[in-house]
Amino acid sequence: MKMHRFEEIWLIFGVAVLVISMAITGYQAFAQGMGPPSHKETIDPTQVENTAPFDNPGVYQTGENEYEVVMALQAFSFEPSEITVPKGAEVTFIMTSKDVIHGVSAPHTNLNTMVVPGQVQRITQTFHESEEFLLVCNEYCGTGHQMMSATITVEE
Ligand code: CUA
């Protein structure tokens, strides 16, 4: 049985796209170290409240224009739940979970990550506009998932 010419072309094209994508992704992940971080910083999830810096969740100024937001997540809340940072500052969120996997997402920003118990997640974001962001949990974490939110106020 002979394959149709167009079918052959599309088959070759499809395989080529797959191979090229895998080569690019593999090169970035392994040769350039761009793979997602995992198990870089670990923590005992039952001792979050007694482990620095999570024993004191909050917003801290760490440099002239740098801030750290230390956050502990649990079903179904963020601690702190009201965050205020200045516009243009480099804000590093340091997060962990006390129970199950949660997510953090601020729509229309690059702030979007999973927060896994036993691991410390860091993500840096600069907010260029003074506005209020709703920070939501985007990993289903139980019956109160849809109520799990916090606000980030970016001040002038
Ligand atoms: Cu926490 Cu969904």
Side-chain angles (χ1 to χ4, degrees), residues 13-123:
F13 178 76
V15 170
V17 166
L18 185 67
V19 169
I20 291 165
S21 311
M22 286 171 76
I24 292 170
T25 312
Y27 174 72
Q28 286 178 332
F30 299 110
Q32 298 194 307
M34 285 166 68
S38 72
H39 290 93
K40 274 193 174 163
E41 268 182 274
T42 55
I43 182 170
D44 179 348
T46 63
Q47 294 299 319
V48 170
E49 276 153 49
N50 308 317
T51 311
F54 301 102
D55 49 351
N56 271 312
V59 183
Y60 299 96
Q61 184 165 12
T62 54
E64 205 182 312
N65 201 26
E66 284 144 52
Y67 288 78
E68 271 179 9
V69 179
V70 176
M71 285 186 103
L73 281 65
Q74 63 182 319
F76 302 97
S77 63
F78 292 91
E79 195 190 351
S81 62
E82 282 175 18
I83 298 149
T84 303
V85 290
K87 179 175 135 182
E90 193 181 279
V91 184
T92 301
F93 293 83
I94 304 169
M95 299 171 286
T96 195
S97 167
K98 292 181 185 174
D99 40 39
V100 296
I101 294 175
H102 297 281
V104 167
S105 165
H108 313 299
T109 72
N110 286 333
L111 193 66
N112 186 348
T113 186
M114 236 181 185
V115 179
V116 180
Q119 294 185 37
V120 178
Q121 180 65 272
R122 284 171 193 266
I123 189 163

Side-chain angles (χ1 to χ4, degrees), residues 73-76 100-103 137-142 144-146 148:
L73 281 65
Q74 63 182 319
F76 302 97
V100 296
I101 294 175
H102 297 281
C137 176
N138 62 359
E139 290 290 337
Y140 182 74
C141 53
H145 163 72
Q146 74 282 359
M148 188 168 167

